């Protein structure tokens, strides 16, 4: 059966191992006026100015999956919550732009592979970078980030595959666009990881 070809970025599933909590997000800050858009499910990075931004393929200071934003709209002066940050928002008095991010280094996500052919069980426990890291829809706010299959097995990379999706409609390894369960391997909060 063919997998559905519909990218959605990183979708949180649960945390790895036995823990009291299943998942959760934290509040971080986007620099007021930041021009980059962030979409729900985009990989976010920690920057050396203390703010977060969208990750590029190969980024190493990944902080988690962006899930939404809150700010005072500079035009309407109303509190605004969106599941994506449209970019270039400077709230009144250069107020904060809040970013909600699933930022646990033990968070498990589901992501679609950009592989146009079959995948393999031997891909599990390998690492890969993301592809289409900055794309997304302004209609529904969802990221078009996928796992970059061509970067699989090239050593440490942004995402580590921990298993195939348990969704029967997206777990066929013999077809294109399989969904993987992944963890962010290059995570700013992980043990033995340096700072920005």
């Amino acid at each position: 059966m063919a997998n559905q070809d519909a990218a959605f970025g990183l979708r949180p599933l649960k945390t790895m191992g036995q823990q009291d909590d299943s998942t959760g997000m934290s509040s971080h800050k986007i620099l007021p006026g930041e021009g980059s858009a962030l979409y729900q499910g985009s990989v976010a990075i920690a920057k050396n100015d203390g703010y977060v931004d969208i990750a590029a393929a190969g980024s190493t200071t990944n902080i988690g999956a962006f899930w939404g934003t809150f700010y005072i709209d500079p035009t309407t002066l109303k509190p605004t919550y969106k599941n994506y940050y449209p970019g270039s928002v400077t709230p009144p008095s250069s107020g904060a732009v809040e970013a909600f991010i699933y930022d646990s280094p033990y968070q498990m996500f589901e992501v679609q592979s950009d592989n146009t052919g079959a995948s393999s069980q031997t891909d599990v426990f390998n690492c890969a970078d993301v592809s289409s890291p900055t794309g997304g829809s302004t209609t529904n706010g969802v990221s078009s980030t996928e796992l970059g299959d061509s970067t699989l097995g090239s050593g440490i990379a942004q995402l580590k595959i921990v298993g195939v999706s348990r969704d029967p409609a997206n777990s066929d390894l013999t077809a294109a666009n399989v969904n993987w369960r992944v963890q962010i391997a290059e995570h700013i909060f992980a043990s033995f990881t340096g700072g920005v």
Side-chain angles (χ1 to χ4, degrees):
M1 180 171 86
N3 297 311
Q4 298 173 2
D5 183 10
F8 48 82
L10 274 67
R11 182 183 301 147
L13 295 175
K14 63 177 198 135
T15 51
M16 299 290 291
Q18 296 284 50
Q19 298 183 35
D20 293 333
D21 60 340
S22 59
T23 189
M25 63 180 100
S26 300
S27 173
H28 297 277
K29 303 289 184 223
I30 297 171
L31 180 67
E34 171 59 50
S36 304
L38 284 100
Y39 298 93
Q40 186 177 69
S42 296
V43 178
I45 57 166
K47 300 187 333 178
N48 63 6
D49 59 6
Y51 293 99
V52 297
D53 199 358
I54 194 160
S59 293
T60 59
T61 60
N62 305 291
I63 193 168
F66 176 82
W67 211 249
T69 186
F70 174 80
Y71 54 87
I72 303 300
D73 187 282
T75 305
T76 65
L77 302 180
K78 292 185 177 183
T80 303
Y81 175 83
K82 289 186 174 196
N83 67 333
Y84 76 101
Y85 171 72
S88 303
V89 174
T90 304
S93 303
S94 294
V97 178
E98 200 167 5
F100 302 106
I101 297 175
Y102 284 96
D103 63 357
S104 169
Y106 301 107
Q107 178 73 48
M108 185 189 302
F109 300 95
E110 188 161 333
V111 66
Q112 184 173 83
S113 171
D114 69 356
N115 192 353
T116 57
S119 294
S120 170
Q121 180 65 30
T122 60
D123 293 341
V124 175
F125 304 130
N126 279 286
C127 293
D129 284 328
V130 296
S131 68
S132 305
T134 59
S137 167
T138 57
T139 302
N140 63 18
V142 176
S143 172
S144 58
T145 297
E146 295 180 304
L147 180 136
D149 190 76
S150 65
T151 63
L152 261 171
S154 56
I156 189 78
Q158 286 171 298
L159 304 177
K160 182 179 294 173
I161 297 174
V162 296
V164 70
S165 172
R166 295 188 176 153
D167 175 2
N170 293 291
S171 59
D172 185 354
L173 289 171
T174 65
N177 306 113
V178 69
N179 287 359
W180 292 113
R181 291 179 295 131
V182 299
Q183 184 178 7
I184 295 176
E186 294 176 316
H187 199 294
I188 192 75
F189 294 147
S191 300
F192 308 110
T193 300
V196 295

